[in-house]
Amino acid sequence: MKRLIYIAIGAVIALLGNHYFITSSKPDLQRLYMQSMAIEDQPPVVFVHGILGSKLKDRMTGRELWFGSLWKLLFDEHEDLALGIDPGTLEPIPDGLTAFAIAENTAGKDYYGRILRTLEGPGGYVKALPGQEIRPGSRYLYTFYYDWRLDNAVNAAHLADFIEQIRQDFDNPDLKVDIVAHSMGGLIARYYIRYGRTDVLGSNDFPVNMYGAERVRRIILLGTPSLGSVEILNAFIGGIKLGFSRINTETLVTMPSLYQLLPHPINNWIVTSEGAPLDRDVFDVNLWRRFQWSIFAGDTRRRILSRYASAAQGEAYLKTLEAYFEKSLERARRFVWSLTVPLPEGHPGLIVFGGDCSPTPARILVEEVDGISEIRMYPDEVTMPEPGVDYDALLLEPGDASVTKASLLGRNTIDPSVRRHEYSFFPLHHVFLLCEEHNSLTGNVSFQNNLLHSLLSLDE
């Protein structure tokens, strides 16, 4: 009888404990940061979105091409996003599209809405635009949206202009901002820190001037592929699936920014079916020709030719596109190296957030089938597996399903006990790891909590 009474009392205590002490499964951001509202000396925050993260419209007509209508987003191949190419200079031709807003919520999916509301709500930041009058005692949030198709060094120069206008608005030549950047936006921010407006990609010398470092207090990166992304390599080969259609590779390769997301040369990004690394240069156009990837694939070339009234016009465009492809690869090679060369003292430490719970493409595989080299991007594509080879572990690594943990941390290996590669300088301050996929990172409440803590702490 006593035993039953003790069990009953224990059950009551457990229920009361649950009721009175386990009140929430997530942090109360309003309660955690309400006292920080009294702090006036808080630098403005500049939020930088990632690839696909801004809406694009025709400057003349005002028509929105990205994202466009829900029907267009789900069923269109988005050929109208392709940049034209000048056959003489092999430079993109301005097409009149301009970024006009950040993608907050689209097709029922939150992209940046929650994080912006967190900064404005519990964070106490007020939305502002460059050129806007500044009220003393307020803390401000600026969103830098840009045409994500364009070269990242070009957009870093635009970011420099954006931040310089903010400094003028505050009438403070010594003002430093905090940057919060998602995905590819982190690469733009890192280039800005090192080089500011200077385009250093014309040669293999990367003279660091630390222009942005003098203007930034803290830099926070979220899901940034600091050593590139194999997923982008896969996209170049097979396109990006969206809804019931896809953006084809011939559209993607007109966008300079995408080349700059390819795996860094220090990565072991391609292997044999036995698991042995292959010494192949992803920035060498001859590799793409040999494997018939992207615009060198037969079906892609046929699609391109079908859009022209004559075969001669189609062949002329293909010739231009191939030369543009080669030039863009070489510029991308220099871009990825420009972000890993050593820096002088004074670089703000990188506060890094990202996911490490989802299987993420880390390598592709070359399989020999009847004497022909076939590319396998995912483990289930391997047709003749070698005994004892774990293809899941070989081709996939922990990450956020788009960016591996290793790339997030600027490392060529996931093993933290292995020293960083000598050619990867990455001034990490500290890291927060989450169980979240790439496009959901900004909505993760643990990220939001630690982001506010990092921004509002004056002693870090």
Side-chain angles (χ1 to χ4, degrees):
M1 185 66 179
K2 284 184 178 179
R3 184 181 179 189
L4 291 175
I5 292 172
Y6 290 148
I7 291 173
I9 292 172
V12 170
I13 291 172
L15 287 171
L16 289 173
N18 285 338
H19 180 73
Y20 288 109
F21 301 111
I22 305 177
T23 57
S24 175
S25 60
K26 62 182 182 179
D28 182 346
L29 300 184
Q30 201 71 44
R31 176 68 183 87
L32 283 167
Y33 300 103
M34 60 185 296
Q35 291 180 325
S36 71
M37 297 292 185
I39 301 173
E40 295 184 1
D41 186 21
Q42 192 66 38
V45 167
V46 176
F47 184 81
V48 185
H49 63 77
I51 193 169
L52 308 177
S54 66
K55 298 181 179 182
L56 304 177
K57 68 178 180 181
D58 187 296
R59 189 181 285 108
M60 296 294 293
T61 66
R63 177 173 170 249
E64 183 180 322
L65 274 73
W66 179 262
F67 291 90
S69 67
L70 181 59
W71 177 270
K72 177 176 173 57
L73 180 64
L74 296 179
F75 294 97
D76 193 72
E77 292 183 352
H78 303 282
E79 294 174 16
D80 48 10
L81 294 181
L83 290 161
I85 303 166
D86 185 314
T89 63
L90 298 179
E91 293 291 329
I93 300 172
D95 59 3
L97 296 193
T98 184
F100 71 95
I102 196 167
E104 295 191 20
N105 302 279
T106 302
K109 169 74 174 175
D110 177 85
Y111 288 94
Y112 298 114
R114 290 179 188 169
I115 182 57
L116 295 178
R117 289 193 294 272
T118 296
L119 289 167
E120 291 177 63
Y125 291 89
V126 178
K127 234 183 228 184
L129 297 171
Q132 180 178 318
E133 182 181 353
I134 298 303
R135 298 194 309 270
S138 296
R139 60 179 66 151
Y140 288 95
L141 168 64
Y142 296 84
T143 301
F144 174 67
Y145 44 82
Y146 58 94
D147 187 341
W148 40 266
R149 304 172 302 164
L150 303 183
D151 190 288
N152 285 319
V154 170
N155 280 321
H158 294 326
L159 178 61
D161 295 339
F162 189 90
I163 292 175
E164 209 53 38
Q165 180 61 59
I166 294 171
R167 286 158 61 92
Q168 291 177 24
D169 295 343
F170 276 79
D171 193 25
N172 181 359
D174 298 319
L175 178 74
K176 292 191 174 186
V177 304
D178 291 336
I179 293 180
V180 180
H182 177 240
S183 194
M184 187 178 76
L187 300 182
I188 293 171
R190 291 186 60 210
Y191 188 96
Y192 164 74
I193 291 290
R194 290 164 174 253
Y195 307 107
R197 296 184 182 85
T198 305
D199 187 334
V200 300
L201 306 183
S203 72
N204 293 319
D205 298 319
F206 309 114
V208 175
N209 58 36
M210 300 297 282
Y211 176 92
E214 299 171 358
R215 292 160 171 79
V216 173
R217 182 188 69 153
R218 289 179 189 150
I219 176 168
I220 297 173
L221 307 180
L222 175 64
T224 293
S226 287
L227 285 186
S229 169
V230 169
E231 187 182 54
I232 288 296
L233 173 62
N234 294 344
F236 260 43
I237 295 171
I240 295 177
K241 184 170 174 54
L242 284 175
F244 300 97
S245 187
R246 68 178 58 245
I247 305 178
N248 286 319
T249 182
E250 61 267 30
T251 297
L252 298 175
V253 299
T254 67
M255 304 175 185
S257 62
L258 297 192
Y259 295 85
Q260 296 166 350
L261 296 175
L262 289 170
H264 194 288
I266 66 175
N267 281 313
N268 168 22
W269 63 274
I270 185 169
V271 294
T272 67
S273 56
E274 293 82 13
L278 284 170
D279 183 16
R280 299 291 184 270
D281 183 0
V282 75
F283 297 100
D284 182 353
V285 70
N286 291 316
L287 178 74
W288 296 75
R289 283 197 178 99
R290 176 189 166 190
F291 284 114
Q292 296 185 343
W293 290 344
S294 188
I295 61 169
F296 301 101
D299 58 346
T300 302
R301 299 176 80 83
R302 285 188 289 273
R303 271 199 313 270
I304 293 172
L305 291 172
S306 70
R307 295 173 187 145
Y308 287 86
S310 71
Q313 289 176 321
E315 291 292 348
Y317 176 73
L318 271 175
K319 183 177 179 180
T320 296
L321 188 58
E322 289 179 17
Y324 175 83
F325 193 95
E326 182 173 9
K327 180 181 178 181
S328 298
L329 281 176
E330 184 55 36
R331 184 169 171 84
R333 180 203 304 276
R334 292 171 179 167
F335 178 82
V336 301
W337 277 113
S338 76
L339 295 186
T340 59
V341 296
L343 295 174
E345 294 295 327
H347 189 294
L350 303 176
I351 302 173
V352 175
F353 292 82
D356 67 347
C357 294
S358 300
T360 304
R363 293 168 199 87
I364 65 173
L365 181 145
V366 177
E367 185 176 27
E368 297 297 327
V369 180
D370 296 330
I372 299 174
S373 297
E374 301 282 356
I375 293 300
R376 310 303 185 204
M377 293 186 278
Y378 300 98
D380 59 4
E381 295 177 356
V382 178
T383 59
M384 296 184 296
E386 293 288 334
V389 178
D390 183 343
Y391 289 101
D392 284 341
L394 181 63
L395 298 185
L396 306 173
E397 287 187 358
D400 64 13
S402 294
V403 178
T404 64
K405 177 185 176 182
S407 181
L408 177 79
L409 300 179
R411 298 177 58 84
N412 65 313
T413 174
I414 195 171
D415 185 351
S417 67
V418 175
R419 287 189 178 276
R420 184 181 301 280
H421 194 284
E422 62 178 321
Y423 296 134
S424 177
F425 184 85
F426 191 78
L428 179 66
H429 186 281
H430 57 276
V431 59
F432 297 89
L433 297 171
L434 309 164
C435 274
E436 201 71 76
E437 294 199 350
H438 190 75
N439 289 333
S440 301
L441 285 168
T442 56
N444 182 286
V445 70
S446 294
F447 160 66
Q448 295 166 3
N449 183 16
N450 285 286
L451 170 66
L452 292 180
H453 181 84
S454 297
L455 290 173
L456 300 176
S457 298
L458 297 179
D459 58 349
E460 292 184 3

